[in-house]
Structures are given as C-alpha cells and as structure tokens.
C-alpha cells in the first residue's frame, strides 16, 4: 500500500515541532533557562483517610486563585470534605466545599464558600504530576473551591485551567489513591470508598523555603518533554485534518 504523502504545510509544521522539541530539551543544560516559582509563605497539610499531603501555592502565577483557596483552608472549609474523583494517571479531585463536606459549613466559612475566581490561564507553569489545578464549569470564571492534584502530565489542560500551586510531599498518599478501587459514574472515575479529608491546617515556613525547586535539570527536562508532547498532540490534530481516516 502506498504511504500517504504529507503536504508541504504539514512537513513544515513537523520541522518546526522537531526544532522546538530540541530547543526545549537543550534548555535544561542552562540554569538561566528555567526559573523557580516563588511560593507563598504558608503550607497546607491535609490529613486524609489514606495519608497526609502537603501543598504550597505559587505567589505570582495565579495570585487570586491561590489566595482564595488558601483562605478557604484557613477557615477550615475543607475539613470533612473528600476526593470525589480519582482517575489514575490523570487527576485526584477535591469536591466543592458546598455539598462535599460531611459537616455543615458555619457562617464564617459560608461567607466565601460560594465565591468564584477568574480564570488565570498561562503557559509558564504546565500541568504535570503534583501540580494543583482549579476545577471549573464551562464558564472560564466559574472556579470556586474544587481543585485537582495532577496524577500525571496533562498538556491538553495547559492554558485552559488555572495552575496555582503544587504538592510538596505526599506522593505515597497519591499512590494509595491511585490503587484504590474505583467505579465510573458518568464522565467521572470515583473511588468506591470515600477518601476523606479528615482535617487540615495551615503552617508558616521560613523565608528560605519560599521557592520550589523547579529550576533543576530533572524538572526542566520533564517540563520540556511535557511541552514537546503538547506540540505532538497539536501535530496529530493537523494530521487528522489533512489526512482523515489514516
């Protein structure tokens, strides 16, 4: 059988993708090519039914979202909430505090529980395992209190969902979640047994701990690979349009 012949346009796009991928991988050899993301001074610790998780929030990537979620934690709004969705290799998603908790919200918590935040989309920080991504409905400005911890790389979410922080510790807890028995409910993969956020607390850290180590070579290489995968997805979409059915 004859192999399909790509158009000049497609071949040009392939060359661009290849050059960009090479550039991204080479960039990890130069420390100035990557920057550490500055973190807020607070850390959040979640005591879940499967173990502890510690989160940190970026200061400048999505400041409105980061401050909103942090304030909800300070008010104890996530206590007795749960991870309603665990899709292995994709996301572990925390339920909205309105309706997700076993305990009723008090007046102080309810003051901001239904507040929404604007979409703070960007391409500097990508969706990879451990990043925190804001949940929302179709409206880009509908994020409220539900958010996800990424369980794998998801380049298709970049610049469409707000990244506002990352997990500092607790990967063993994420692995426990991924190994939990699940079932499909509509579009969601949900755990059969409730994964509860039993309690949470906010702690301050020293000034020297306000930057996460995203400038090291290993992380830079991971980010470069992630971006290259995103470009590959874009190229595949072009191929499908140009050569449908192949």
């Amino acid at each position: 059988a004859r192999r399909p012949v790509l158009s000049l346009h497609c071949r040009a796009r392939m060359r661009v993708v290849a050059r960009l991928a090479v550039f991204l991988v080479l960039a990890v050899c130069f420390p100035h090519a990557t920057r550490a993301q500055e973190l807020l001074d607070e850390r959040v610790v979640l005591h879940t039914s499967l173990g502890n998780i510690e989160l940190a929030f970026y200061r400048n990537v999505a400041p409105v979202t980061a401050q909103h979620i942090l304030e909800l934690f300070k008010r104890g709004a996530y206590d007795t909430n749960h991870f309603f969705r665990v899709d292995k290799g994709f996301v572990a998603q925390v339920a909205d505090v309105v309706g997700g908790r076993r305990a009723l919200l008090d007046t102080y918590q309810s003051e901001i529980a239904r507040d929404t935040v604007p979409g703070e989309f960007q391409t500097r920080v990508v969706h990879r395992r451990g990043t925190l991504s804001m949940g929302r409905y179709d409206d880009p400005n509908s994020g409220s209190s539900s958010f996800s911890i990424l369980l794998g790389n998801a380049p298709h979410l970049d610049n469409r969902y707000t990244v506002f922080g990352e997990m500092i510790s607790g990967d063993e807890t994420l692995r426990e979640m991924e190994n939990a028995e699940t079932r499909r409910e509509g579009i969601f993969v949900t755990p059969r047994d409730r994964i509860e956020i039993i309690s949470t607390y906010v702690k301050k850290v020293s000034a020297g701990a306000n930057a996460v180590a995203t400038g090291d070579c290993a992380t830079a290489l991971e980010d470069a690979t992630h971006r290259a995968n995103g470009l590959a997805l874009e190229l595949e979409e072009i191929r499908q349009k140009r050569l449908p059915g192949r």
Side-chain angles (χ1 to χ4, degrees):
R2 294 180 58 191
R3 297 178 62 184
V5 178
L6 292 175
S7 68
L8 291 176
H9 177 72
C10 282
R11 280 182 285 179
R13 291 297 294 269
M14 287 180 68
R15 286 194 294 270
V16 170
V17 169
R19 288 168 184 167
L20 284 172
V22 170
F23 172 79
L24 288 168
V25 173
L26 288 176
V28 306
C29 299
F30 300 92
H32 63 271
T34 58
R35 286 185 177 179
Q37 295 301 326
E38 187 178 2
L39 301 175
L40 296 176
D41 295 333
E42 295 90 348
R43 302 288 184 271
V44 170
V45 178
L46 287 67
H47 297 299
T48 82
S49 53
L50 294 180
N52 294 346
I53 298 172
E54 184 172 341
L55 308 179
F57 306 104
Y58 299 136
R59 185 181 300 278
N60 300 315
V61 175
V64 176
T65 301
Q67 288 292 348
H68 173 64
I69 297 297
L70 179 58
E71 182 61 28
L72 283 167
F73 274 111
K74 287 180 176 179
R75 298 188 185 207
Y78 288 96
D79 292 1
T80 76
N81 200 357
H82 68 120
F83 286 85
F84 81 94
R85 178 186 189 186
V86 178
D87 199 339
K88 188 173 184 178
F90 184 36
V91 296
Q93 186 167 357
V94 176
D96 196 303
V97 299
V98 178
R101 289 166 41 110
R102 284 189 302 103
L104 294 176
L105 292 164
D106 63 24
T107 303
Y108 182 57
Q109 294 164 336
S110 297
E111 286 176 353
I112 63 169
R114 290 179 172 82
D115 288 355
T116 57
V117 292
E120 297 179 276
F121 311 139
Q122 47 74 49
T123 56
R124 287 181 295 144
V125 183
V126 298
H127 284 79
R128 57 183 175 82
R129 185 177 178 87
T131 55
L132 309 181
S133 180
M134 195 66 179
R136 64 173 176 82
Y137 296 102
D138 290 339
D139 181 350
N141 301 316
S142 61
S144 181
S145 59
S146 178
F147 68 90
S148 297
I149 303 175
L150 270 290
L151 301 176
N153 295 341
H156 62 288
L157 301 182
D158 293 344
N159 206 30
R160 295 178 59 200
Y161 288 82
T162 299
V163 173
F164 62 94
E166 67 179 61
M167 185 180 70
I168 298 299
S169 66
D171 198 60
E172 65 282 357
T173 301
L174 292 191
R175 287 195 294 271
E176 288 291 328
M177 289 186 188
E178 290 185 286
N179 290 330
E181 188 176 358
T182 59
R183 61 190 172 193
R184 181 167 289 278
E185 295 184 359
I187 64 172
F188 296 124
V189 178
T190 63
R192 287 190 176 273
D193 297 321
R194 182 181 176 93
I195 301 176
E196 178 142 328
I197 301 171
I198 300 166
S199 64
T200 65
Y201 69 87
V202 179
K203 65 179 181 179
K204 283 270 192 177
V205 296
S206 62
N210 68 344
V212 68
T214 56
D216 60 70
C217 193
T219 303
L221 179 58
E222 182 179 351
D223 284 351
T225 303
H226 175 97
R227 294 175 192 276
N229 288 340
L231 292 169
L233 287 174
E234 182 182 352
L235 179 61
E236 177 60 20
E237 290 176 0
I238 295 170
R239 189 193 69 80
Q240 291 290 346
K241 291 177 181 177
R242 295 284 178 171
L243 301 169
R246 295 185 182 274

